Amino acid sequence: MDARAVSTSRLVSIAAALAGSLLLLFLAAPVIGLVGVGGAEGLARLGSDAELRDALLLTALCATAATACAALGGVPLAWLLARRDFPGRAVLAACLDLPLLIPHPVAGIALLLLLGRDSAVGGAALAAGLRIVGTPLGIIAAMAFVAAPLFVSAAREAIARVDARYEGVARTLGDTPWRAFRRITLPLAGRGLLAAALVTWARAVSEFGAIVVLTYNPKVVSVLSYDRLTSHGLSEALPVAAALAVLALVPLTLLRALRADAERVR
Amino acid sequence: MIAVESLTASKGRFTLRDVSVALPAGGYGVVIGPAGAGKTTLLEVIAGLLRPSAGTVRLGGTDLRGVPPEARGVGLVYQHAFLFPHLSVQDNVAYGAADAAAVREVVDRFGVAPLLDRAVESLSGGERQLVALARALARRPRVLLLDEPFSALDPRRRAQVRREVRALHAAWALTTLQVTHDFAEAGLLGDQAILLDGGRVLQAGPPAEVFRRPATPYVAEFLGAENVLVGEVRGSGDAAGAMGADAAVDAAATADEDATRAVVFASGPLTLHAVGDVPPGARHAVIRAEEITVSRDQAHDSARNRFAGRVVEVAAHGPLTRVTVEVRGVPLVAALTTHSARDLRLEPGIAVVVSFKAMAVHLC
């Protein structure tokens, strides 16, 4: 490589780093600012602000329930998508991306249409004594709707990474399909499935648009921060928003640790 | 025991078309073919891991349509072993084992006892293949399917493991079907050789027969026959004696061969004498290099085909030397022991006589 080529390639690197830094700054600055300004007060409020405490707990519990629902249906679906060739597989995969693409209030309205008291499903649930809209069930439904596709797509990748021939060998060694999945694929894809669950949980925690349509009260943290902003102004919203940002950092940190562990094993 | 009939199946870019294989109970079959021939796909269909789109697979007379892999009694060892990485070697071997005694027996036979406490990641490729063999056999399958199982072993270990597999095959009357791209292995192990290429069976039969009598010129070249000459049959039976001067001169020599089955085959400037049944439409003569002798004088031997030529190339490969002799513009390759090639002081440009028996000329 001659001197000019070297200097050109260095120029390209510098330009790329500059452009990248600007974007990173734009992404990181608000979050850092938020946690920096409101973080300490947010943590301090945890002791005194019962509404914030309850909202955090509700958010974490509902996100966990939504993630469990996503995993329950998502793991079998991911296995089918990863392992079986069937008519309409491509269409199904495309449909799974749909919830990621429609605006979240629209998703909330669609869910309201399905689960509201005047709908068939919502009506039947209500007749069985189960209110969905305006309860934590509505929160879970909204969270699951927007976050489950993430789980399925990440889980599909995790399962596809485990060579199907491991399952094949297990079958020739006497395992039924379910047993082979449980003894071989599940443990081998375990780390990937856990990562999928973490991403799903994080996405559920950060949801606002769909939840606010279905269940305004009881409030999850995102709704609470919006509520405080509109009724009390920025100073009241800030600690709540910061607490939510800190909560979102938990799965992010776990995910990083998981990936680092995977690197070390490999 | 294994009867595959008119099987058609596809997996990714590999497709089997109308494949039939028959292997008796306790037989050892070897599927030979280049990469991409569909060898592994065939094993996966027999194991039940891949559903064929047409055709049947029978084991011991039972049609296996709809029988899941776990109920087939078939052991499968992949080329890359596929040991379960989250289990210990011990747990791998015991994964589907019939009983503890079976585990002990295979562990002893394949010498994997020292590996039992090791982690799968720490094993070498050869060790993995041994453990995979032990794991498959600990289940005491009726049928063993092996996909290039010796490829990762060093030569000394390979000979030893081959012997053990052969011994187990005999002791348990285990019907075995092995896939390889190594012709020598087919000759060493198999009772039955099945040539697979492009998803089709080219030829099947005892290895010696397949090697000596390839069904098509393609099979001949596929199996490494050096001399495949294009031409046509000029006459056969008694009529052959009247064909051309070559045949008339050597008329006396026909006494030691069945004159009624003698054949004359013309290939460009060469006229070859062959013997035996000629398949209809035969347009190729195949002569294996080891059937051709090279000498420096006209000394008479009983060989029916004898040509003067000139050495154009001498290439030594360890104990064997390949000598290319040009006869009237046609290159013929002979395989000599390196020792005799040295005795003959062969080098390019030297005039020699090549000869081979009519029996050595195979028409197809």
Side-chain angles (χ1 to χ4, degrees):
Chain A
M1 212 188 280
D2 62 19
R4 194 195 299 179
V6 170
S7 70
T8 308
S9 114
R10 181 172 297 171
L11 268 178
V12 168
S13 303
I14 291 171
L18 267 175
S21 309
L22 279 175
L23 179 64
L24 277 178
L25 202 64
F26 172 70
L27 292 176
V31 182
I32 293 171
L34 178 67
V35 175
V37 174
E41 204 196 331
L43 289 177
R45 284 276 184 106
L46 285 180
S48 59
D49 189 339
E51 195 181 19
L52 174 58
R53 253 196 336 259
D54 291 348
L56 275 171
L57 188 63
L58 181 69
T59 308
L61 286 177
C62 286
T64 305
T67 303
C69 292
L72 214 61
V75 171
L77 186 56
W79 182 82
L80 274 177
L81 288 169
R83 290 282 194 258
R84 291 284 186 265
D85 204 8
F86 53 87
R89 187 171 72 161
V91 177
L92 182 62
C95 285
L96 277 168
D97 288 340
L98 208 58
L100 299 177
L101 300 176
I102 55 177
H104 292 178
V106 177
I109 292 167
L111 279 173
L112 193 62
L113 210 61
L114 178 76
L115 305 174
R117 73 184 64 190
D118 297 332
S119 73
V121 178
L126 207 57
L130 216 59
R131 234 163 68 87
I132 299 174
V133 176
T135 71
L137 280 180
I139 299 172
I140 293 169
M143 285 177 163
F145 186 80
V146 298
L150 279 180
F151 181 85
V152 174
S153 115
R156 191 194 62 77
E157 247 170 71
I159 291 172
R161 267 200 300 274
V162 178
D163 198 307
R165 285 174 285 188
Y166 284 115
E167 263 176 60
V169 169
R171 295 292 303 279
T172 67
L173 291 169
D175 278 358
T176 59
W178 164 240
R179 205 168 141 80
F181 178 77
R182 193 170 51 74
R183 290 171 87 190
I184 302 300
T185 312
L186 201 55
L188 291 181
R191 210 186 292 270
L193 292 175
L194 194 57
L198 280 172
V199 170
T200 308
W201 194 83
R203 180 70 196 76
V205 163
S206 65
E207 178 54 22
F208 169 73
I211 295 174
V212 84
V213 174
L214 282 177
T215 301
Y216 198 94
N217 280 306
K219 297 188 191 70
V220 292
V221 187
S222 61
V223 175
L224 183 66
S225 71
Y226 173 77
D227 184 68
R228 295 257 171 112
L229 181 70
T230 50
S231 50
H232 303 284
L234 186 61
S235 62
E236 283 300 305
L238 203 58
V240 181
L244 182 57
V246 171
L247 183 64
L249 284 178
V250 173
L252 188 70
T253 313
L254 286 175
L255 207 59
R256 281 287 125 205
L258 203 63
R259 295 220 173 111
D261 193 38
E263 292 294 321
R264 196 178 47 73
V265 168
R266 197 171 306 137
Chain B
M1 173 67 180
I2 300 180
V4 172
E5 273 161 38
S6 313
L7 193 76
T8 299
S10 51
K11 181 193 182 193
R13 61 197 177 87
F14 301 113
T15 304
L16 295 174
R17 289 184 203 87
D18 196 23
V19 166
S20 295
V21 172
L23 193 63
Y28 201 120
V30 178
V31 181
I32 319 166
K39 298 171 301 209
T40 305
T41 307
L42 176 62
L43 297 191
E44 287 180 334
V45 171
I46 295 173
L49 299 177
L50 188 65
R51 201 189 304 254
S53 51
T56 57
V57 176
R58 288 169 198 281
L59 289 188
T62 313
D63 188 341
L64 293 185
R65 191 188 314 260
V67 177
E70 60 268 28
R72 292 191 173 199
V74 170
L76 173 64
V77 180
Y78 277 115
Q79 178 176 11
H80 297 296
F82 285 103
L83 297 183
F84 305 132
H86 60 304
L87 301 178
S88 69
V89 171
Q90 164 82 45
D91 289 345
N92 265 280
V93 176
Y95 191 90
D99 49 56
V103 173
R104 267 197 304 280
E105 182 173 358
V106 294
V107 162
D108 288 347
R109 271 192 190 266
F110 293 106
V112 294
L115 308 177
L116 288 178
D117 294 329
R118 299 258 301 273
V120 165
E121 276 88 6
S122 72
L123 301 183
S124 71
E127 288 167 339
R128 284 172 195 226
Q129 280 187 321
L130 283 182
V131 175
L133 261 170
R135 178 177 66 179
L137 287 165
R139 190 168 167 74
R140 289 192 187 276
R142 291 185 298 162
V143 170
L144 183 62
L145 304 174
L146 302 172
D147 188 358
E148 306 265 9
F150 311 128
S151 57
L153 300 169
D154 61 71
R156 194 178 56 84
R157 204 66 178 283
R158 184 179 309 169
Q160 179 204 337
V161 175
R162 234 186 236 148
R163 264 199 309 279
E164 285 302 336
V165 169
R166 250 315 203 175
L168 250 174
H169 164 258
W172 292 3
L174 191 63
T175 310
T176 306
L177 190 61
Q178 185 196 323
V179 154
T180 184
H181 62 270
D182 181 350
F183 309 132
E185 198 149 88
L188 284 170
L189 286 167
D191 315 316
Q192 179 87 4
I194 298 125
L195 261 60
L196 200 66
D197 189 30
R200 293 175 188 280
V201 174
L202 299 179
Q203 192 173 353
E209 181 68 14
V210 173
F211 274 85
R212 249 170 47 81
R213 306 216 154 273
T216 64
Y218 182 77
V219 171
E221 281 179 9
F222 182 72
L223 292 175
E226 293 81 354
N227 304 294
V228 180
L229 306 176
V230 181
E232 59 187 34
V233 177
R234 279 288 165 73
S236 61
D238 293 331
M243 298 297 297
D246 266 356
V249 169
D250 281 336
T254 55
D256 63 335
E257 288 165 2
D258 188 354
T260 59
R261 292 163 62 220
V263 181
V264 174
F265 183 87
S267 169
L270 303 185
T271 301
L272 306 179
H273 298 276
V275 64
D277 298 324
V278 182
R283 296 187 52 79
H284 297 84
V286 178
I287 310 134
R288 294 200 71 88
E290 59 269 30
E291 303 282 358
I292 299 183
T293 44
V294 178
S295 56
R296 298 198 60 160
D297 52 35
Q298 296 290 328
H300 196 76
D301 58 28
S302 65
R304 193 78 170 75
N305 297 287
R306 173 183 299 280
F307 301 100
R310 204 163 284 280
V311 174
V312 291
E313 194 188 1
V314 180
H317 304 284
L320 281 182
T321 293
R322 288 157 59 91
V323 181
T324 308
V325 178
E326 203 169 87
V327 177
R328 296 176 212 164
V330 179
L332 291 176
V333 178
L336 279 64
T337 63
T338 298
H339 183 78
S340 60
R342 206 176 292 138
D343 280 354
L344 287 167
R345 296 189 306 283
L346 294 178
E347 54 184 78
I350 285 181
V352 291
V353 173
V354 295
S355 55
F356 45 95
K357 293 182 172 174
M359 285 283 288
V361 180
H362 168 67
L363 300 180
C364 59

